[in-house]
Amino acid sequence: MKIILLLILLFLTSAYLTLDKHLYFYGKNDIDVYNFLPFKIKPDFKTQFIIDETLNFEKNFRLRDEHGFSIVAPKMVYIVDKKVEVSKIIKYCFNEKNIFVVIRDFQEKLKYIFFELKKDYFNVNIKDDISKDEWRGLQCILIENNSEQIKTIEELRNAIYLPFLIFMFLFLTEIKNKHLS
């Protein structure tokens, strides 16, 4: 019986961690140990930083630096060659050295924000277009029109939690009973 309970616990733990790791890319993970993005950037969707009271995922998603400051967020303004104000984040793409963020501005135009780390600061370039070569080797995370899929993954991860606790209790009870007999 212990082996069956242990196998179920291992399966539930593995499923929970896999789903939580996937949710990291949307800032909705529970376990804060992941760091897959360059420059220690972290995706974030937290309710204490609400911009849109409807808790709309797309309007509250942001990317933060290692100190917790937003580097890309809705309503954020960049002044590089010209003024660009972020309406929403469409997707972000990254590899070990680069991060591109595709945004829509308030004129409904797509813009591409490229981050490059210089000694102690980010160099920010904003482009109106990116060549196909610049996309090569990048892993992309879709934010726009993806909230239902993210919600489903989050609900599945959360649904695993209660069975995990039940099976953990049963497993520990089984171990305790074996030691007492």
Side-chain angles (χ1 to χ4, degrees):
M1 183 67 161
K2 278 193 303 187
I3 304 233
I4 292 171
L5 289 172
L6 183 60
L7 289 174
I8 292 170
L9 274 173
L10 289 174
F11 172 77
L12 290 172
T13 302
S14 176
Y16 184 89
L17 292 174
T18 300
L19 293 169
D20 194 63
K21 181 179 170 185
H22 184 75
L23 288 169
Y24 159 83
F25 293 104
Y26 304 97
K28 291 186 154 249
N29 56 304
D30 284 340
I31 303 168
D32 194 21
V33 296
Y34 315 108
N35 195 13
F36 301 114
L37 300 181
F39 324 130
K40 298 181 183 175
I41 292 173
K42 290 206 174 217
D44 187 27
F45 175 83
K46 303 291 188 235
T47 54
Q48 70 256 34
F49 303 109
I50 300 215
I51 291 174
D52 179 0
E53 294 297 324
T54 64
L55 294 180
N56 179 303
F57 173 73
E58 295 171 3
K59 291 185 179 178
N60 288 295
F61 178 81
R62 66 198 65 248
L63 293 173
R64 295 189 180 278
D65 69 9
E66 66 183 307
H67 306 291
F69 295 107
S70 294
I71 62 164
V72 180
K75 298 188 179 179
M76 195 164 184
V77 178
Y78 294 92
I79 300 175
V80 180
D81 294 332
K82 55 190 168 213
K83 181 178 173 182
V84 174
E85 188 174 0
V86 178
S87 171
K88 65 179 166 178
I89 298 171
I90 306 300
K91 68 180 174 180
Y92 67 94
C93 304
F94 63 94
N95 60 21
E96 62 278 348
K97 296 179 183 178
N98 300 309
I99 187 161
F100 285 101
V101 183
V102 182
I103 61 112
R104 191 172 306 281
D105 67 11
F106 282 96
Q107 285 74 44
E108 292 298 312
K109 294 180 182 171
L110 288 179
K111 301 287 181 188
Y112 304 86
I113 303 173
F114 174 71
F115 291 92
E116 178 181 39
L117 187 64
K118 297 290 183 180
K119 292 185 181 190
D120 292 332
Y121 65 94
F122 290 112
N123 187 29
V124 179
N125 290 310
I126 298 176
K127 300 179 180 184
D128 292 327
D129 196 16
I130 294 179
S131 71
K132 289 183 181 182
D133 289 339
E134 290 176 285
W135 291 104
R136 257 187 220 132
L138 296 176
Q139 179 180 347
C140 293
I141 306 298
L142 181 65
I143 302 302
E144 184 178 52
N145 300 324
N146 205 9
S147 59
E148 285 303 313
Q149 179 187 2
I150 297 163
K151 184 179 177 183
T152 301
I153 295 168
E154 190 175 20
E155 288 171 351
L156 183 58
R157 182 211 46 205
N158 294 344
I160 290 172
Y161 193 69
L162 182 59
F164 172 81
L165 290 177
I166 292 169
F167 281 100
M168 179 61 81
F169 175 77
L170 292 172
F171 180 72
L172 293 174
T173 303
E174 183 71 21
I175 289 174
K176 182 181 174 187
N177 290 339
K178 291 290 181 184
H179 285 296
L180 293 176
S181 25

